[in-house]
């Protein structure tokens, strides 16, 4: 049996050994001057289907070194060297019987000089693989974090990050952060929100115009002006406790020009056009176009978005694995319920399939929505799981942003009614749903961070605004609301990003108007907020909207009627775009109304008599619950 003194001596020696190992991490060893600076991802989990993890190892001259591991269930499957001697790509094989724990990766040369790096295998959260992604039951609330709420003013400007806060600059950083989002979770839950989609929170250490988040400079790090990785994880946990999931905005097409890679690329083919800036042609149709010139297709995929966003070459296998692992890492680390993928069609087509498949294989009930900004349903449908494409492309994406409906809704409500104008545009766009494998899983929205505010687009017409919100809440698909819509945030009718993404009233100390408390709101803003709250709190438990079928009737005289129905229940939506009162003869809808005994106006709560013609007042839209 070990004596007390022996035990103390042993403890001291162990501490000294651990201290020496920690000092060794990232420190040069021996006369060769090796220096290990990064290993990404910094950890992985046991019990993952994705159990062969390729580590990107970066440091001065480390390609000369040979890694080794001595930990039960973990072995090195492959070591790859690239043209830059400062990189190694080390593939770990994590066996099914591997246990959570800490181990050390030893990097040594022929002279047995060593660098030691600490690595962690973690246990997964219970039920992680079976997590439920966002679905038609949800309402997604889109937030531009820098513009929502400043919960911690101490992180507004930081010495290690280039751009400082300047709330007077509409294109600058304003100071919104994760703490601000956490502080207002009760408000969002009360509004009927069940999913939050923040614009990217990863580090954007660009010299200017960095607040939007789409020019990432570190894919594994939350921007410190928003908080830390742990703060983001806490946000997800606290949101979940309120019944709200979190969708992470991820970009696989490009990075920011100040990304640490740009100072020392792993290889020349890490980027497209690494030597000379060439801008994408934005011709989204070239991917499916049977007649497209190869040069046009190549420029669309390989061209840069803007000079500050270098275009990634996902045909490089190491980069492809890096991006796939990064997405899975964030889902597992933070406990996400979804991913929104930016500029979806701009990345390599085969990679996009591999990326989505890897995530959905790991989380079969998960959901991912891609941004394919096209008004052509055929272009959007090309990327959806289950779509049989003539080109042979096999997609795995469960959802896409429904830009065809988005554009049709705005045009239909703003355009003058005619034989082929106005509401018929919306009707005929919806008729294209046969082209989608699952149109009910598309994300529908009247506005987002890249479009003018819907209230402003509709010339500040509150009735048409309400019609847009009713359509979004009751149509097939998953509705997405942009922050501040509920209090009529406005913008120019043309695109003006800084104005579109204006500050949420009440998100900053001293604001005269406060959307969260109601202080200083006009009567119109209060009314809009109450309307949105009533509509989406009702939707939250409206099974017929979540799972019901859809039938719509061709627009007549500036009115449009459709039904959602399930078993013996139905919801009737009637939209009147006219400036004058309209009377609907309900006999036209007898097949869906005949057996219904109960009817209630969802917004007012009043009973509706469906045995007589329905009178719609000027520009009124109704949601009528039927049983």
């Amino acid at each position: 049996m070990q004596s007390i003194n022996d035990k103390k001596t042993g403890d001291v020696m162990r501490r000294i050994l651990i201290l020496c190992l920690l000092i060794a991490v990232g420190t040069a060893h021996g006369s060769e001057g090796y220096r290990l600076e990064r290993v990404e991802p910094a950890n992985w989990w046991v019990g993952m289907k994705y159990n062969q993890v390729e580590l990107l190892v970066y440091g001065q001259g480390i390609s000369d070194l040979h890694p080794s591991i001595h930990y039960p269930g973990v072995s090195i499957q492959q070591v790859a060297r690239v043209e830059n001697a400062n990189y190694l790509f080390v593939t770990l094989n994590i066996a099914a019987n591997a246990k959570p724990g800490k181990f050390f990766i030893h990097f040594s040369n022929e002279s047995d000089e060593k660098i030691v790096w600490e690595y962690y295998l973690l246990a997964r959260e219970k039920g992680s693989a079976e997590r439920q992604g966002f679905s038609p039951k949800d309402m997604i609330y889109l937030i531009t974090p820098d513009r929502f709420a400043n919960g911690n003013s101490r992180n507004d400007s930081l010495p290690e990050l280039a751009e400082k806060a300047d709330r007077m600059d509409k294109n600058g950083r304003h100071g919104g952060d994760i703490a601000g989002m956490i502080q207002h979770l009760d408000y969002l839950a009360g509004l009927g929100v069940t999913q939050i989609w923040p614009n990217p929170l990863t580090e954007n250490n660009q010299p200017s115009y960095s607040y939007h988040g789409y020019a990432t400079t570190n894919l594994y790090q939350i921007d410190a002006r928003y908080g830390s990785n742990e703060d983001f994880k806490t946000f997800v946990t606290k949101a979940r406790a309120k019944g709200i999931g979190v969708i992470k905005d991820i970009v696989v097409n490009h990075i920011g020009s100040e990304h640490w890679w740009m100072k020392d690329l792993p290889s020349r083919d890490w980027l497209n056009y690494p030597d000379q800036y060439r801008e994408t042609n934005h011709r989204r149709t070239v991917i499916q176009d049977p007649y497209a010139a190869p040069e046009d297709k190549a420029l669309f995929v390989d061209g840069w978005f803007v000079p500050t966003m270098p275009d990634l070459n996902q045909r490089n296998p190491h980069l492809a694995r890096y991006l796939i692992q990064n997405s899975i890492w964030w889902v597992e680390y933070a406990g996400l319920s979804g991913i929104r993928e930016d500029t979806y069609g701009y990345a390599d087509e085969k990679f996009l399939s591999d990326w989505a498949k890897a995530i959905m294989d790991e989380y079969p009930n998960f959901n991912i929505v891609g941004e394919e900004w096209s008004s052509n349903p055929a272009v959007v449908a090309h990327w959806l799981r289950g779509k049989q494409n003539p080109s042979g492309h096999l997609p795995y994406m469960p959802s896409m942003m429904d830009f065809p409906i988005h554009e049709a809704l705005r045009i239909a409500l703003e355009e003058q009614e005619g034989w082929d104008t106005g509401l018929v545009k919306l009707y005929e766009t919806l008729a294209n749903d046969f082209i989608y494998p699952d149109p009910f899983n598309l994300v529908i929205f009247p506005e987002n961070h890249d479009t003018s505010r819907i209230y402003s687009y509709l010339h500040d017409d509150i009735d048409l605004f309400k019609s847009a919100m009713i359509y979004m809440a009751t149509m097939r698909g998953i509705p997405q609301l942009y922050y501040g819509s509920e209090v009529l945030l406005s913008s120019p009718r043309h695109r003006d990003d800084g104005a579109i993404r204006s500050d949420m009233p009440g998100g900053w100390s001293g604001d005269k108007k406060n959307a969260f408390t109601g202080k200083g709101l006009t009567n119109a803003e209060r009314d809009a907020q109450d309307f949105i709250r009533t509509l989406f709190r009702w939707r939250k438990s409206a099974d017929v909207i979540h799972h019901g079928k859809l039938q719509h009737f061709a627009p007549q005289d500036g009115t449009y009627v459709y039904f959602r129905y399930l078993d013996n229940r139905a919801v009737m939506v009637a939209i009147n775009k006219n400036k004058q009162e309209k009377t609907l003869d309900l006999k036209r809808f007898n097949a869906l109304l005949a057996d219904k005994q109960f009817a209630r106006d969802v917004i007012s709560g009043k009973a509706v008599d469906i045995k007589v013609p329905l009178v719609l007042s000027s520009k009124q839209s109704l949601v009528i619950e039927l049983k």
Side-chain angles (χ1 to χ4, degrees), residues 261-464:
W261 282 332
M262 298 302 294
K263 297 174 179 65
D264 196 17
L265 287 173
S267 57
R268 286 183 53 76
D269 68 346
W270 203 254
L271 301 179
N272 294 312
Y273 300 117
D275 298 322
Q276 181 182 7
Y277 172 72
R278 290 202 65 187
E279 189 168 320
T280 176
N281 54 25
H282 296 288
R283 295 300 173 193
R284 300 175 180 89
T285 56
V286 295
I287 300 298
Q288 301 91 348
D289 182 357
Y291 314 116
E295 294 82 0
D296 288 341
K297 183 174 181 179
L299 186 57
F300 169 66
V301 174
D302 294 348
W304 294 25
F305 232 67
V306 292
T308 55
M309 294 180 180
D311 199 72
L312 295 172
N313 174 25
Q314 301 87 10
R315 294 180 292 274
N316 180 298
H318 300 300
L319 175 59
R321 282 190 286 271
Y322 183 98
L323 294 171
I324 289 169
Q325 291 170 179
N326 179 256
S327 296
I328 294 174
W329 188 90
W330 278 111
V331 175
E332 194 71 24
Y333 169 79
L336 304 177
S337 62
I339 287 173
R340 181 265 186 184
E341 210 295 305
D342 180 65
T343 53
Y344 190 77
Y346 286 79
D348 179 74
E349 191 176 24
K350 182 183 182 303
F351 163 78
L352 291 171
S353 284
D354 294 342
W355 175 82
K357 184 178 187 301
I359 297 169
M360 296 307 298
D361 282 351
E362 196 68 56
Y363 309 101
N365 303 318
F366 197 60
N367 210 350
I368 315 171
V369 59
E371 179 199 32
E372 172 53 89
W373 193 335
S374 175
S375 58
N376 184 341
V379 173
V380 176
H382 174 84
W383 302 107
L384 284 165
R385 180 175 61 187
K387 181 65 177 176
Q388 300 298 311
N389 287 304
S391 66
H393 172 66
L394 187 61
Y396 290 93
M397 282 292 284
S399 177
M400 298 296 288
M401 305 299 297
D402 195 341
F403 277 94
I405 285 291
H406 159 77
E407 294 191 15
L409 175 63
R410 290 163 75 97
I411 292 170
L413 292 176
E414 198 261 348
E415 191 175 59
Q416 186 174 349
E417 286 296 303
W419 170 251
D420 58 354
T421 58
L423 290 169
V424 72
K425 293 275 185 69
L426 196 53
Y427 171 79
E428 292 190 344
T429 300
L430 190 64
N432 286 311
D433 269 11
F434 67 87
I435 203 166
Y436 299 121
D438 182 8
F440 285 73
N441 200 42
L442 297 173
V443 173
I444 59 175
F445 57 102
E447 62 185 353
N448 66 18
H449 58 291
D450 290 326
T451 71
S452 60
R453 291 279 183 172
I454 184 66
Y455 179 61
S456 300
Y457 182 82
L458 296 173
H459 306 283
D460 298 351
D461 189 315
I462 189 65
D463 295 315
L464 292 180

Side-chain angles (χ1 to χ4, degrees), residues 50 76 90 155 161 166 209 216 317 329-330 375 388 431 439 459 529 577 606-607:
Y50 199 104
I76 293 178
V90 181
N155 63 15
L161 296 173
D166 180 3
Y209 197 54
T216 303
W329 188 90
W330 278 111
S375 58
Q388 300 298 311
H459 306 283
Q529 192 177 50
K577 227 181 87 180
K606 295 178 180 178

